[in-house]
Amino acid sequence: MADTDGAHRRREYLQSLGTAAVAALAGCGSSGSTNTTSETDSQTATVSPTDTTTSSETETETPESEWQIDPLEHDQMVAAWYYAWYGGPVNNPFTEYSPSTPELGLYNSRDKEVINQHIKWAREHGINTFISRWGGPDWWDDTTLLDYFFEAELGSEIDLFVEPSVTALTPGDSKAPKDFDKEANRTALIEAFEYLDENYFGRLNYARLNGRPAVAFFSTVGQTAGDFAGALAEAKAATSEEPFVVADAVRLFDPLVDVNVENPEQLYGDLLSVVDALTTYTIYDPDKVAELDFPEYVEHIRELSLNRRLSADSYNIPFIPDVIPGYDDSELPDRPDRPALKATPDRFQQLIDSQKDLINSDLNAIFVTSFNEWYEDTPIEPREEYGTAFLETVADGIVRDETEPLDPATDFNRLQFQFNTTAQPDGSDRNLAWYVSSLTLSSADGESVASYDIGVPEEEPYLIEGVYAIEEAADADPPTRRWFGGPFARTTMYVESQNPTPASATVRGSPIRSDAIEVEVHFDGRLTDTIDLGAREWQTYEFSLTN
C-alpha cells in the first residue's frame, strides 16, 4: 500500500525540529558531487506564493517563511509525473515547443520559489507524491533534485520517487531500445541503483510503496532490449533495501502482444518476476483519437484500461491506473504528425471517471500524467488558459471522490482454455490451437446468461492472452473469428459475473488439426472439464463450468 501515514509522521517530526533542522535534513544523503553538465542562461520566474487554500483561516503562530500550505490530506497515493529539467542545457527555453503557456511563465526548475509554488499547488489539491524523471548520477535533473528541490523550504512537504531514464543513464547515444545483454548497460543500471540507494532512498520524503522505496520505469518494453529483467534483478539486489519497481509496460497488458514479441517467455516470465506493479504512462491513443469522437474515445480507453487491469490481476501483479488531461506534441519538431487530444477540465474529469475504479485496493495508488510535461501538453500545473482548474479536478474527481474500486474476484469470472499443443502452419510464427467464432454461457437449467461474438471487439469478453488478430470470412456465419493458442498454449479471458452463475459454456470453433488438440477448461481457477476437439471442422462444443 502507499505509505501515506509515514508521510504524516514525517511532517510532524520535521515541524517539531524547526525550520533550520528541516533544511539540514532535506540536504542529507547528498553525494556532494557537482553537476558535470554545463548550464545555460535562462529566464527565471519570480514567484510569490499563490494562495489556493479554500478552508477558513485559523489563528496560528506567525511562521518564519511566507510559504504556508494547507494540504488536502487523504490516505491514497496520488502521484503526478514531475519534470525537473527546465532551464537545463537541453530543455531551455521549453515553451517554444509547447502548445500551452505555464502560469509561471518560462521558469527554471532550480528556482526554489518555483519549486515551493509547485509543491504548494500540489499538496493543496491532494497530490502527495511526485514521480521525477531522473537522468542518472550528476545529470542536470539529479543536481536539481538534490541541491534545489529537496532544499527548498517546502521540499520536505511532498513525497517523491524517481523514474530512471534508461536511455540517459546508459553509455552511448540516447536512442532506444538499450540492449541489456551489453555489460556496460547492465553495469550502468546497477551503479544507478547504488547511487539512488546512497543519495535518495533514505530520505524521509522519498516515497514508498508496500514499505519499500519506489522506482518507476517509463516504456519498459519499448526502451529496453536483451536481458533487462536480469539486469534489473541485479540492480535491485545491489541496494541495501529492495526497491518497489513500477513498470510502464503497456505491451504486457494487451492480448495481441504474442504476435509482436520475439521472446514472450522472457517478457512475461522474467520481467514480471522482478517488477512489483504495472502502469501505463499515458492513455493517449493517436489512432483512436483520429477515428472517434471524444465520448467514444473515453469508452474505448475505459475498455482498454479495464482489460489491462484484469490482465495484471491475471498475472497476480498490481495495476496502477494513470490519467491525463490531454495530449498534444505537435510543437515538437522531431515527432510524427499525430492528432491532438485537446485538454479541458471537463474532458479531464471524464477520463478520470473512466479510470478511478481501477485502483488496486491493496496498493491504493493512482498516477497523473503529468504535473509539468509541457512538451506533450499533459500538465495539470496551472496554465494561462485554465489556471488551477486541472488541479481542482484532481481534488474533486480523485481525492474527494468516493467511488468504490472494482474487485475482479467478485465482478468477473476468469475463463481459461489450456491446450495440450499448438501448431505453426505454413511457416507462421503464430502458435495456433482453436479457431473460434462465438462463446455462450448458460445457467444450470440451460438458459443463456451471456453471449459473445469473437472477432467483434464490442461484443467480446475481456481477452487477456493467447489470442490473435481478428480474421474475416465474408461467406462464413458469423463472418469474424480469432485463433486461440499463443506461445504458452493457453487462452485467458474474463467475463462479467452473471446471476445466476454460469454452469456451462458453448463454443463454436474448429481445431488447427484433426484428432490432435485437447483442451482443459478452467473457470475461476478450477479445472471443470476436459475435451478432445476432434476433427478439423466447424463444430459446437459444450463444456461444464461446475465440475
Side-chain angles (χ1 to χ4, degrees):
M1 61 178 293
D3 295 335
T4 53
D5 290 340
H8 296 164
R9 291 194 299 271
R10 180 192 70 251
R11 282 189 286 276
E12 292 172 358
Y13 172 64
L14 292 175
Q15 290 165 2
S16 72
L17 295 178
T19 305
V22 170
L25 281 173
C28 72
S30 174
S31 66
S33 60
T34 58
N35 181 27
T36 58
T37 306
S38 63
E39 300 177 33
T40 60
D41 294 333
S42 62
Q43 178 182 352
T44 302
T46 300
V47 183
S48 298
T50 301
D51 188 4
T52 58
T53 304
T54 57
S55 61
S56 60
E57 297 182 1
T58 58
E59 292 185 5
T60 59
E61 182 179 345
T62 303
E64 295 183 17
S65 169
E66 61 182 346
W67 287 102
Q68 303 176 61
I69 58 174
D70 183 14
L72 176 56
E73 301 284 12
H74 53 93
D75 61 359
Q76 185 177 57
M77 174 184 278
V78 178
W81 297 83
Y82 187 80
Y83 294 86
W85 57 21
Y86 297 117
V90 177
N91 302 83
N92 175 37
F94 65 89
T95 53
E96 286 187 4
Y97 301 124
S98 175
S100 302
T101 303
E103 189 173 284
L104 297 182
L106 177 58
Y107 60 75
N108 188 308
S109 291
R110 292 184 176 179
D111 184 335
K112 291 182 181 177
E113 298 299 275
V114 170
I115 295 168
N116 287 331
Q117 184 63 75
H118 283 172
I119 294 171
K120 177 179 174 66
W121 272 329
R123 294 292 288 113
E124 291 186 344
H125 293 88
I127 299 164
N128 50 25
T129 308
F130 281 156
I131 311 168
S132 180
R133 184 267 187 190
W134 182 74
D138 298 326
W139 270 69
W140 205 85
D141 49 9
D142 174 53
T143 302
T144 301
L145 292 175
L146 292 176
D147 295 346
Y148 297 87
F149 186 93
F150 288 129
E151 295 198 2
E153 289 197 42
L154 299 183
S156 63
E157 292 297 324
I158 193 167
D159 288 350
L160 178 145
F161 65 98
V162 299
E163 174 258 311
S165 169
V166 296
T167 59
L169 63 85
T170 49
D173 61 41
S174 60
K175 293 181 179 179
K178 286 300 188 87
D179 185 359
F180 282 87
D181 286 338
K182 294 183 177 180
E183 190 61 33
N185 289 341
R186 299 175 73 91
T187 299
L189 184 65
I190 294 169
E191 291 177 348
F193 268 60
E194 291 173 337
Y195 181 89
L196 291 172
D197 189 32
E198 179 180 353
N199 294 281
Y200 286 82
F201 291 168
R203 292 177 176 273
L204 288 174
N205 64 320
Y206 192 86
R208 290 171 173 264
L209 286 165
N210 281 358
R212 294 152 52 195
V215 174
F217 282 95
F218 165 74
S219 188
T220 309
V221 177
Q223 297 270 314
T224 67
D227 185 22
F228 175 70
L232 179 58
E234 291 182 46
K236 292 175 71 174
T239 61
S240 61
E241 186 176 10
E242 182 184 8
F244 186 100
V245 174
V246 182
D248 165 31
V250 173
R251 287 172 62 190
L252 286 175
F253 296 121
D254 298 329
L256 298 186
V257 69
D258 299 346
V259 180
N260 304 314
V261 177
E262 293 182 1
N263 188 355
E265 288 82 0
Q266 177 177 331
L267 184 62
Y268 281 93
D270 294 349
L271 185 57
L272 288 180
S273 70
V274 294
V275 302
D276 301 285
L278 298 173
T279 191
T280 304
Y281 176 76
T282 176
I283 52 176
Y284 170 70
D285 184 338
D287 292 337
K288 295 299 182 181
V289 169
E291 175 186 337
L292 305 173
D293 62 26
F294 187 72
E296 292 172 331
Y297 181 78
V298 173
E299 184 178 351
H300 161 72
I301 289 299
R302 165 63 183 180
E303 293 300 298
L304 182 62
S305 298
L306 176 54
N307 206 106
R308 292 170 173 175
R309 166 63 206 276
L310 294 172
S311 296
D313 192 75
S314 180
Y315 290 110
N316 197 30
I317 189 168
F319 172 66
I320 302 176
D322 188 287
V323 295
I324 60 172
Y327 187 98
D328 184 359
D329 62 1
S330 60
E331 298 297 319
L332 284 171
D334 60 343
R335 295 290 178 92
D337 185 18
R338 296 187 288 198
L341 181 63
K342 172 65 176 175
T344 70
D346 177 68
R347 284 183 162 206
F348 187 30
Q349 181 63 63
Q350 292 181 60
L351 290 167
I352 288 172
D353 289 343
S354 76
Q355 307 294 307
K356 59 190 178 184
D357 70 329
L358 302 181
I359 293 171
N360 180 285
S361 58
D362 293 329
L363 208 56
N364 200 20
I366 186 170
F367 293 169
V368 180
T369 303
S370 64
F371 188 83
N372 63 338
E373 216 294 12
W374 289 96
Y375 300 121
E376 295 174 348
D377 204 33
T378 64
I380 58 173
E381 176 186 356
R383 60 180 78 189
E384 287 185 349
E385 184 177 3
Y386 291 110
T388 60
F390 291 110
L391 289 170
E392 292 162 7
T393 303
V394 171
D396 293 334
I398 296 177
V399 178
R400 296 189 181 101
D401 184 81
E402 298 181 354
T403 299
E404 288 295 321
L406 173 145
D407 182 1
T410 58
D411 296 335
F412 293 87
N413 298 114
R414 184 171 181 263
L415 178 60
Q416 186 178 75
F417 300 110
Q418 296 184 5
F419 306 100
N420 64 322
T421 188
T422 60
Q424 295 182 330
D426 302 324
S428 170
D429 60 357
R430 299 183 302 169
N431 300 277
L432 311 181
W434 203 11
Y435 209 21
V436 174
S437 64
S438 65
L439 165 69
T440 301
L441 306 180
S442 300
S443 63
D445 60 8
E447 293 294 323
S448 173
V449 295
S451 295
Y452 305 93
D453 288 334
I454 307 301
V456 181
E458 61 272 17
E459 298 179 19
E460 292 184 307
Y462 293 95
L463 301 171
I464 304 303
E465 66 171 342
V467 300
Y468 291 97
I470 296 169
E471 297 184 8
E472 296 186 14
D475 58 346
D477 184 21
T480 61
R481 63 283 307 276
R482 293 183 188 265
W483 279 106
F484 287 5
F488 305 114
R490 66 175 182 250
T491 297
T492 305
M493 64 191 71
Y494 280 83
V495 296
E496 293 184 3
S497 296
Q498 303 293 331
N499 186 16
T501 302
S504 65
T506 301
V507 174
R508 181 73 177 166
S510 173
I512 183 64
R513 290 178 178 169
S514 293
D515 303 321
I517 307 297
E518 294 182 357
V519 58
E520 289 185 350
V521 181
H522 295 256
F523 193 63
D524 288 338
R526 308 183 315 275
L527 173 63
T528 60
D529 210 342
T530 303
I531 193 170
D532 188 328
L533 296 184
R536 183 176 180 177
E537 60 185 18
W538 283 95
Q539 305 176 53
T540 299
Y541 304 89
E542 185 171 343
F543 303 90
S544 173
L545 300 178
T546 59
N547 294 343

